[in-house]
Amino acid sequence: MSARRGIRALQPAVNGIGKFNSRSNCTQNTLCYLRTSPLTQRLPTVSAWKPVLHQPLRYASSKAQTNEEPAKTPLYDLHAAHGAKFVPFGGYSMPVQYSDMGVGESHHWTREKASLFDVSHMVQHHISGPGADAFLSLITPSSLSSLEPHHSTLSCLLHRETGGIVDDTVITRLGSFHFYIVTNAGCRDKDLEYLTSELTAWKEAGNPSVEWKVLEGQGLIALQGPLSASILSSILAEPDKISLSKLYFGQSKYAKSRLSNGKTSPDVLISRGGYTGEDGFEISIPGPSSTAVTESLLQSASDTLRLAGLGARDSLRLEAGMCLYGHDLDDTTTPVEAALSWVIGKDRRAKGDFHGSSIILSQLKPKKDGGVGVTRRRVGLVIDGAPAREGAEIVDTEGNAIGKITSGCPSPTLKKNIAMGYIKDGLHKAGTEVDVLVRGKRRKAVVTKMPFVPTKYYRAA
């Protein structure tokens, strides 16, 4: 996800697409895949792939994943009608770009106008009941007791013993005993196994009841860009009941949409936030209405709104400093190492009553104060010369290995090569000069604060 900057709520880290290599059967502006092994997940239905984009500038940074015949989101036919190029990703056939513009063009369009992303491959859950608050507080480090209704927070599902990140997630409180959470598509099997195990242990311990429902078939779209609010406002069926000017980053609201056929949609959940760093919204839609709501948005702003795919989403999220699970985060990484310490609430630090708290809290405390600290830190890098892709080694000026790149691509906005990775503690401060090995050659790099591109979230004054 992203660096702190006071953020309490963020979009989930939707999986992006991978580093590039050449392949003989690739053609201009198409994606090709090279099979690789999964990173840290044990996913019986998901394995990893690397896409290859043949075009002058290759913006995507990270690997997609699949194994079996991919499923289709509720919007598959709409994508096909708009000339989508599909890739298997997160168990689904997902659009990576469209025939009307390339990845770089789509990236700029999002920053300047508005784009619509299908993220229905993400896993949406409802967790409710008298024990919901306490259960989620056990498996995450967030201060959920102070989270107000229809407010969200970025969080992490944690391994019980190690404090490693099972997955990153966004948690929204819908009511006193009702939460909506979104987890990553590439972690579906692992997350479902984890939640099943944790809920079983919770029940066996005699704790208050918790109900868990996976919203299978639910649509989820992300409307992103500076014109997002005006576009969404134009299709609200009851604009007097929801004022987007008073709906701030990290807040949500149920509303109805006007449809192109003159009818009205059922309630959709509108959450303000952005994995791209732009102002925008995620809209959770009952499956049967997904296409109608999406078409209504597209038809309402035909000159300013375009569909966008995984290619642009990945370069946008990296410019925004957002993590991608399986690359920038994994089971062996703690929130402290990942520069996500800010998701750990102050009250949680005092009580230490969450999974992995003994390790995480000790990492938060410097060695001089009796803690253990960490040996590595997640950082941003600006790199000279060729772009550094995932797996590239970071070395000091004497050539000693000090870290690894986890995501990297040319920044369409900055016209520079940017990357994210882990570096030896003590060398993580902004301005530190290092080298990165790119195709065996040393390239100069500078540790840089993230986000690389200033975020434009809509916040209260």
Side-chain angles (χ1 to χ4, degrees), residues 166-199:
V166 179
D167 198 2
D168 57 327
T169 182
V170 169
I171 302 176
T172 302
R173 183 187 288 277
L174 297 179
S176 299
F177 306 108
H178 190 187
F179 294 87
Y180 166 70
I181 70 174
V182 181
T183 56
N184 284 300
C187 295
R188 174 185 291 266
D189 292 348
K190 182 180 69 167
D191 289 348
L192 297 184
E193 180 181 351
Y194 171 84
L195 289 170
T196 298
S197 175
E198 290 296 334
L199 281 167

mmCIF file of all heavy atoms in Angstrom, residues 166-199:
data_model
loop_
_atom_site.group_PDB
_atom_site.id
_atom_site.type_symbol
_atom_site.label_atom_id
_atom_site.label_comp_id
_atom_site.label_asym_id
_atom_site.label_seq_id
_atom_site.Cartn_x
_atom_site.Cartn_y
_atom_site.Cartn_z
ATOM 1 N N VAL A 166 -0.300 -12.044 6.428
ATOM 2 C CA VAL A 166 -1.044 -13.021 5.636
ATOM 3 C C VAL A 166 -1.584 -12.352 4.380
ATOM 4 O O VAL A 166 -1.540 -12.895 3.282
ATOM 5 C CB VAL A 166 -2.206 -13.623 6.453
ATOM 6 C CG1 VAL A 166 -3.004 -14.618 5.622
ATOM 7 C CG2 VAL A 166 -1.690 -14.272 7.729
ATOM 8 N N ASP A 167 -2.102 -11.145 4.552
ATOM 9 C CA ASP A 167 -2.626 -10.353 3.443
ATOM 10 C C ASP A 167 -2.859 -8.943 3.959
ATOM 11 O O ASP A 167 -3.048 -8.733 5.164
ATOM 12 C CB ASP A 167 -3.943 -10.946 2.922
ATOM 13 C CG ASP A 167 -4.308 -10.459 1.516
ATOM 14 O OD1 ASP A 167 -3.525 -9.687 0.938
ATOM 15 O OD2 ASP A 167 -5.368 -10.861 0.998
ATOM 16 N N ASP A 168 -2.832 -7.971 3.074
ATOM 17 C CA ASP A 168 -3.264 -6.629 3.452
ATOM 18 C C ASP A 168 -4.726 -6.483 3.046
ATOM 19 O O ASP A 168 -5.197 -7.128 2.118
ATOM 20 C CB ASP A 168 -2.386 -5.545 2.844
ATOM 21 C CG ASP A 168 -2.312 -5.616 1.325
ATOM 22 O OD1 ASP A 168 -2.362 -6.725 0.771
ATOM 23 O OD2 ASP A 168 -2.192 -4.554 0.687
ATOM 24 N N THR A 169 -5.435 -5.654 3.762
ATOM 25 C CA THR A 169 -6.882 -5.577 3.584
ATOM 26 C C THR A 169 -7.381 -4.198 3.968
ATOM 27 O O THR A 169 -6.695 -3.449 4.673
ATOM 28 C CB THR A 169 -7.581 -6.643 4.454
ATOM 29 O OG1 THR A 169 -8.997 -6.594 4.245
ATOM 30 C CG2 THR A 169 -7.311 -6.431 5.932
ATOM 31 N N VAL A 170 -8.564 -3.865 3.502
ATOM 32 C CA VAL A 170 -9.264 -2.675 3.980
ATOM 33 C C VAL A 170 -10.479 -3.135 4.767
ATOM 34 O O VAL A 170 -11.244 -3.989 4.314
ATOM 35 C CB VAL A 170 -9.688 -1.762 2.820
ATOM 36 C CG1 VAL A 170 -10.638 -0.666 3.311
ATOM 37 C CG2 VAL A 170 -8.467 -1.127 2.174
ATOM 38 N N ILE A 171 -10.633 -2.583 5.964
ATOM 39 C CA ILE A 171 -11.749 -2.930 6.841
ATOM 40 C C ILE A 171 -12.661 -1.720 6.985
ATOM 41 O O ILE A 171 -12.199 -0.632 7.326
ATOM 42 C CB ILE A 171 -11.250 -3.367 8.233
ATOM 43 C CG1 ILE A 171 -10.311 -4.569 8.110
ATOM 44 C CG2 ILE A 171 -12.428 -3.692 9.148
ATOM 45 C CD1 ILE A 171 -9.699 -5.002 9.436
ATOM 46 N N THR A 172 -13.928 -1.902 6.698
ATOM 47 C CA THR A 172 -14.930 -0.845 6.830
ATOM 48 C C THR A 172 -15.970 -1.269 7.859
ATOM 49 O O THR A 172 -16.532 -2.360 7.769
ATOM 50 C CB THR A 172 -15.643 -0.583 5.495
ATOM 51 O OG1 THR A 172 -14.674 -0.226 4.501
ATOM 52 C CG2 THR A 172 -16.673 0.532 5.623
ATOM 53 N N ARG A 173 -16.205 -0.406 8.829
ATOM 54 C CA ARG A 173 -17.285 -0.690 9.788
ATOM 55 C C ARG A 173 -18.601 -0.206 9.180
ATOM 56 O O ARG A 173 -18.751 0.986 8.880
ATOM 57 C CB ARG A 173 -17.042 0.004 11.121
ATOM 58 C CG ARG A 173 -18.124 -0.326 12.167
ATOM 59 C CD ARG A 173 -17.969 0.495 13.420
ATOM 60 N NE ARG A 173 -16.836 0.093 14.227
ATOM 61 C CZ ARG A 173 -16.844 -0.911 15.105
ATOM 62 N NH1 ARG A 173 -17.936 -1.638 15.266
ATOM 63 N NH2 ARG A 173 -15.756 -1.182 15.804
ATOM 64 N N LEU A 174 -19.544 -1.123 9.004
ATOM 65 C CA LEU A 174 -20.855 -0.755 8.483
ATOM 66 C C LEU A 174 -21.864 -0.514 9.595
ATOM 67 O O LEU A 174 -22.854 0.189 9.402
ATOM 68 C CB LEU A 174 -21.374 -1.855 7.553
ATOM 69 C CG LEU A 174 -20.550 -2.104 6.287
ATOM 70 C CD1 LEU A 174 -21.163 -3.244 5.476
ATOM 71 C CD2 LEU A 174 -20.462 -0.837 5.432
ATOM 72 N N GLY A 175 -21.641 -1.117 10.746
ATOM 73 C CA GLY A 175 -22.535 -0.976 11.883
ATOM 74 C C GLY A 175 -21.825 -1.427 13.139
ATOM 75 O O GLY A 175 -20.649 -1.814 13.109
ATOM 76 N N SER A 176 -22.538 -1.406 14.252
ATOM 77 C CA SER A 176 -21.917 -1.751 15.527
ATOM 78 C C SER A 176 -21.269 -3.124 15.517
ATOM 79 O O SER A 176 -20.196 -3.329 16.086
ATOM 80 C CB SER A 176 -22.968 -1.682 16.646
ATOM 81 O OG SER A 176 -23.492 -0.382 16.770
ATOM 82 N N PHE A 177 -21.915 -4.096 14.868
ATOM 83 C CA PHE A 177 -21.391 -5.462 14.845
ATOM 84 C C PHE A 177 -21.245 -5.978 13.414
ATOM 85 O O PHE A 177 -21.388 -7.172 13.167
ATOM 86 C CB PHE A 177 -22.326 -6.392 15.633
ATOM 87 C CG PHE A 177 -22.595 -5.935 17.034
ATOM 88 C CD1 PHE A 177 -23.837 -5.426 17.387
ATOM 89 C CD2 PHE A 177 -21.613 -5.992 18.001
ATOM 90 C CE1 PHE A 177 -24.095 -4.998 18.677
ATOM 91 C CE2 PHE A 177 -21.856 -5.558 19.292
ATOM 92 C CZ PHE A 177 -23.097 -5.062 19.639
ATOM 93 N N HIS A 178 -20.943 -5.077 12.488
ATOM 94 C CA HIS A 178 -20.941 -5.468 11.080
ATOM 95 C C HIS A 178 -19.784 -4.795 10.345
ATOM 96 O O HIS A 178 -19.666 -3.567 10.346
ATOM 97 C CB HIS A 178 -22.272 -5.063 10.441
ATOM 98 C CG HIS A 178 -22.478 -5.631 9.074
ATOM 99 N ND1 HIS A 178 -23.547 -5.263 8.283
ATOM 100 C CD2 HIS A 178 -21.772 -6.522 8.336
ATOM 101 C CE1 HIS A 178 -23.475 -5.913 7.122
ATOM 102 N NE2 HIS A 178 -22.401 -6.684 7.140
ATOM 103 N N PHE A 179 -18.925 -5.609 9.718
ATOM 104 C CA PHE A 179 -17.775 -5.099 8.988
ATOM 105 C C PHE A 179 -17.781 -5.625 7.554
ATOM 106 O O PHE A 179 -18.220 -6.742 7.284
ATOM 107 C CB PHE A 179 -16.468 -5.536 9.656
ATOM 108 C CG PHE A 179 -16.244 -4.936 11.016
ATOM 109 C CD1 PHE A 179 -16.758 -5.556 12.149
ATOM 110 C CD2 PHE A 179 -15.525 -3.758 11.165
ATOM 111 C CE1 PHE A 179 -16.553 -5.015 13.403
ATOM 112 C CE2 PHE A 179 -15.321 -3.210 12.420
ATOM 113 C CZ PHE A 179 -15.837 -3.841 13.546
ATOM 114 N N TYR A 180 -17.269 -4.799 6.671
ATOM 115 C CA TYR A 180 -17.048 -5.169 5.264
ATOM 116 C C TYR A 180 -15.544 -5.147 5.035
ATOM 117 O O TYR A 180 -14.883 -4.141 5.328
ATOM 118 C CB TYR A 180 -17.751 -4.163 4.359
ATOM 119 C CG TYR A 180 -17.377 -4.190 2.894
ATOM 120 C CD1 TYR A 180 -17.749 -5.242 2.068
ATOM 121 C CD2 TYR A 180 -16.667 -3.117 2.333
ATOM 122 C CE1 TYR A 180 -17.421 -5.233 0.703
ATOM 123 C CE2 TYR A 180 -16.345 -3.101 0.982
ATOM 124 C CZ TYR A 180 -16.725 -4.160 0.179
ATOM 125 O OH TYR A 180 -16.395 -4.143 -1.155
ATOM 126 N N ILE A 181 -14.973 -6.251 4.566
ATOM 127 C CA ILE A 181 -13.542 -6.266 4.310
ATOM 128 C C ILE A 181 -13.276 -6.766 2.893
ATOM 129 O O ILE A 181 -14.059 -7.536 2.329
ATOM 130 C CB ILE A 181 -12.762 -7.108 5.342
ATOM 131 C CG1 ILE A 181 -13.035 -8.601 5.177
ATOM 132 C CG2 ILE A 181 -13.095 -6.674 6.762
ATOM 133 C CD1 ILE A 181 -12.157 -9.457 6.084
ATOM 134 N N VAL A 182 -12.192 -6.293 2.313
ATOM 135 C CA VAL A 182 -11.787 -6.682 0.967
ATOM 136 C C VAL A 182 -10.369 -7.224 1.034
ATOM 137 O O VAL A 182 -9.481 -6.581 1.607
ATOM 138 C CB VAL A 182 -11.857 -5.499 -0.009
ATOM 139 C CG1 VAL A 182 -11.444 -5.939 -1.415
ATOM 140 C CG2 VAL A 182 -13.248 -4.895 -0.034
ATOM 141 N N THR A 183 -10.156 -8.399 0.465
ATOM 142 C CA THR A 183 -8.836 -9.015 0.453
ATOM 143 C C THR A 183 -8.412 -9.287 -0.986
ATOM 144 O O THR A 183 -9.210 -9.186 -1.916
ATOM 145 C CB THR A 183 -8.819 -10.316 1.276
ATOM 146 O OG1 THR A 183 -9.838 -11.198 0.777
ATOM 147 C CG2 THR A 183 -9.062 -10.035 2.747
ATOM 148 N N ASN A 184 -7.154 -9.651 -1.150
ATOM 149 C CA ASN A 184 -6.567 -9.777 -2.482
ATOM 150 C C ASN A 184 -6.961 -11.060 -3.200
ATOM 151 O O ASN A 184 -7.010 -12.136 -2.600
ATOM 152 C CB ASN A 184 -5.049 -9.697 -2.384
ATOM 153 C CG ASN A 184 -4.567 -8.285 -2.156
ATOM 154 O OD1 ASN A 184 -4.807 -7.391 -2.955
ATOM 155 N ND2 ASN A 184 -3.892 -8.073 -1.042
ATOM 156 N N ALA A 185 -7.159 -10.940 -4.500
ATOM 157 C CA ALA A 185 -7.557 -12.081 -5.322
ATOM 158 C C ALA A 185 -6.501 -13.172 -5.323
ATOM 159 O O ALA A 185 -6.819 -14.359 -5.237
ATOM 160 C CB ALA A 185 -7.814 -11.615 -6.757
ATOM 161 N N GLY A 186 -5.222 -12.792 -5.398
ATOM 162 C CA GLY A 186 -4.162 -13.772 -5.454
ATOM 163 C C GLY A 186 -3.974 -14.547 -4.161
ATOM 164 O O GLY A 186 -3.275 -15.561 -4.145
ATOM 165 N N CYS A 187 -4.585 -14.058 -3.075
ATOM 166 C CA CYS A 187 -4.483 -14.725 -1.773
ATOM 167 C C CYS A 187 -5.783 -15.431 -1.399
ATOM 168 O O CYS A 187 -5.966 -15.817 -0.240
ATOM 169 C CB CYS A 187 -4.139 -13.702 -0.694
ATOM 170 S SG CYS A 187 -2.525 -12.938 -0.882
ATOM 171 N N ARG A 188 -6.699 -15.580 -2.346
ATOM 172 C CA ARG A 188 -8.027 -16.100 -2.034
ATOM 173 C C ARG A 188 -7.972 -17.401 -1.229
ATOM 174 O O ARG A 188 -8.532 -17.489 -0.130
ATOM 175 C CB ARG A 188 -8.831 -16.325 -3.316
ATOM 176 C CG ARG A 188 -10.184 -17.001 -3.089
ATOM 177 C CD ARG A 188 -10.880 -17.309 -4.411
ATOM 178 N NE ARG A 188 -11.311 -16.085 -5.066
ATOM 179 C CZ ARG A 188 -12.534 -15.568 -4.937
ATOM 180 N NH1 ARG A 188 -13.445 -16.182 -4.187
ATOM 181 N NH2 ARG A 188 -12.869 -14.476 -5.565
ATOM 182 N N ASP A 189 -7.316 -18.414 -1.755
ATOM 183 C CA ASP A 189 -7.314 -19.715 -1.081
ATOM 184 C C ASP A 189 -6.636 -19.637 0.276
ATOM 185 O O ASP A 189 -7.105 -20.203 1.263
ATOM 186 C CB ASP A 189 -6.626 -20.758 -1.953
ATOM 187 C CG ASP A 189 -7.428 -21.087 -3.208
ATOM 188 O OD1 ASP A 189 -8.610 -20.686 -3.281
ATOM 189 O OD2 ASP A 189 -6.870 -21.741 -4.105
ATOM 190 N N LYS A 190 -5.501 -18.941 0.325
ATOM 191 C CA LYS A 190 -4.769 -18.815 1.580
ATOM 192 C C LYS A 190 -5.589 -18.060 2.623
ATOM 193 O O LYS A 190 -5.656 -18.462 3.796
ATOM 194 C CB LYS A 190 -3.440 -18.097 1.340
ATOM 195 C CG LYS A 190 -2.596 -17.969 2.597
ATOM 196 C CD LYS A 190 -1.280 -17.251 2.335
ATOM 197 C CE LYS A 190 -1.500 -15.795 2.030
ATOM 198 N NZ LYS A 190 -0.224 -15.038 2.072
ATOM 199 N N ASP A 191 -6.230 -16.964 2.213
ATOM 200 C CA ASP A 191 -7.031 -16.162 3.140
ATOM 201 C C ASP A 191 -8.240 -16.937 3.653
ATOM 202 O O ASP A 191 -8.590 -16.868 4.840
ATOM 203 C CB ASP A 191 -7.501 -14.881 2.470
ATOM 204 C CG ASP A 191 -6.373 -13.890 2.233
ATOM 205 O OD1 ASP A 191 -5.281 -14.092 2.772
ATOM 206 O OD2 ASP A 191 -6.600 -12.913 1.492
ATOM 207 N N LEU A 192 -8.912 -17.673 2.752
ATOM 208 C CA LEU A 192 -10.083 -18.435 3.183
ATOM 209 C C LEU A 192 -9.687 -19.523 4.173
ATOM 210 O O LEU A 192 -10.385 -19.772 5.161
ATOM 211 C CB LEU A 192 -10.785 -19.039 1.968
ATOM 212 C CG LEU A 192 -11.365 -18.046 0.954
ATOM 213 C CD1 LEU A 192 -12.125 -18.787 -0.144
ATOM 214 C CD2 LEU A 192 -12.252 -17.005 1.614
ATOM 215 N N GLU A 193 -8.550 -20.162 3.927
ATOM 216 C CA GLU A 193 -8.060 -21.176 4.859
ATOM 217 C C GLU A 193 -7.703 -20.544 6.201
ATOM 218 O O GLU A 193 -8.021 -21.082 7.263
ATOM 219 C CB GLU A 193 -6.829 -21.866 4.266
ATOM 220 C CG GLU A 193 -6.225 -22.941 5.155
ATOM 221 C CD GLU A 193 -4.998 -23.585 4.561
ATOM 222 O OE1 GLU A 193 -4.695 -23.319 3.371
ATOM 223 O OE2 GLU A 193 -4.322 -24.349 5.271
ATOM 224 N N TYR A 194 -7.060 -19.384 6.142
ATOM 225 C CA TYR A 194 -6.667 -18.670 7.363
ATOM 226 C C TYR A 194 -7.885 -18.260 8.183
ATOM 227 O O TYR A 194 -7.952 -18.503 9.395
ATOM 228 C CB TYR A 194 -5.856 -17.438 6.970
ATOM 229 C CG TYR A 194 -5.552 -16.479 8.095
ATOM 230 C CD1 TYR A 194 -4.471 -16.666 8.936
ATOM 231 C CD2 TYR A 194 -6.359 -15.352 8.305
ATOM 232 C CE1 TYR A 194 -4.182 -15.772 9.966
ATOM 233 C CE2 TYR A 194 -6.086 -14.446 9.325
ATOM 234 C CZ TYR A 194 -4.992 -14.662 10.150
ATOM 235 O OH TYR A 194 -4.727 -13.767 11.167
ATOM 236 N N LEU A 195 -8.860 -17.638 7.538
ATOM 237 C CA LEU A 195 -10.048 -17.183 8.266
ATOM 238 C C LEU A 195 -10.859 -18.350 8.812
ATOM 239 O O LEU A 195 -11.411 -18.279 9.920
ATOM 240 C CB LEU A 195 -10.908 -16.304 7.354
ATOM 241 C CG LEU A 195 -10.328 -14.923 7.038
ATOM 242 C CD1 LEU A 195 -11.127 -14.240 5.936
ATOM 243 C CD2 LEU A 195 -10.290 -14.052 8.294
ATOM 244 N N THR A 196 -10.944 -19.442 8.048
ATOM 245 C CA THR A 196 -11.642 -20.634 8.536
ATOM 246 C C THR A 196 -10.975 -21.160 9.799
ATOM 247 O O THR A 196 -11.640 -21.475 10.798
ATOM 248 C CB THR A 196 -11.655 -21.727 7.454
ATOM 249 O OG1 THR A 196 -12.376 -21.248 6.319
ATOM 250 C CG2 THR A 196 -12.323 -22.997 7.971
ATOM 251 N N SER A 197 -9.655 -21.242 9.782
ATOM 252 C CA SER A 197 -8.911 -21.747 10.934
ATOM 253 C C SER A 197 -9.058 -20.828 12.141
ATOM 254 O O SER A 197 -9.294 -21.291 13.266
ATOM 255 C CB SER A 197 -7.429 -21.885 10.564
ATOM 256 O OG SER A 197 -6.656 -22.267 11.680
ATOM 257 N N GLU A 198 -8.948 -19.528 11.906
ATOM 258 C CA GLU A 198 -9.041 -18.583 13.021
ATOM 259 C C GLU A 198 -10.446 -18.539 13.613
ATOM 260 O O GLU A 198 -10.619 -18.443 14.832
ATOM 261 C CB GLU A 198 -8.618 -17.185 12.551
ATOM 262 C CG GLU A 198 -7.137 -17.044 12.247
ATOM 263 C CD GLU A 198 -6.271 -17.238 13.483
ATOM 264 O OE1 GLU A 198 -6.761 -16.990 14.604
ATOM 265 O OE2 GLU A 198 -5.093 -17.613 13.327
ATOM 266 N N LEU A 199 -11.459 -18.625 12.778
ATOM 267 C CA LEU A 199 -12.834 -18.617 13.283
ATOM 268 C C LEU A 199 -13.151 -19.897 14.040
ATOM 269 O O LEU A 199 -13.892 -19.878 15.040
ATOM 270 C CB LEU A 199 -13.816 -18.414 12.132
ATOM 271 C CG LEU A 199 -13.969 -16.964 11.653
ATOM 272 C CD1 LEU A 199 -14.697 -16.912 10.319
ATOM 273 C CD2 LEU A 199 -14.692 -16.122 12.698
#
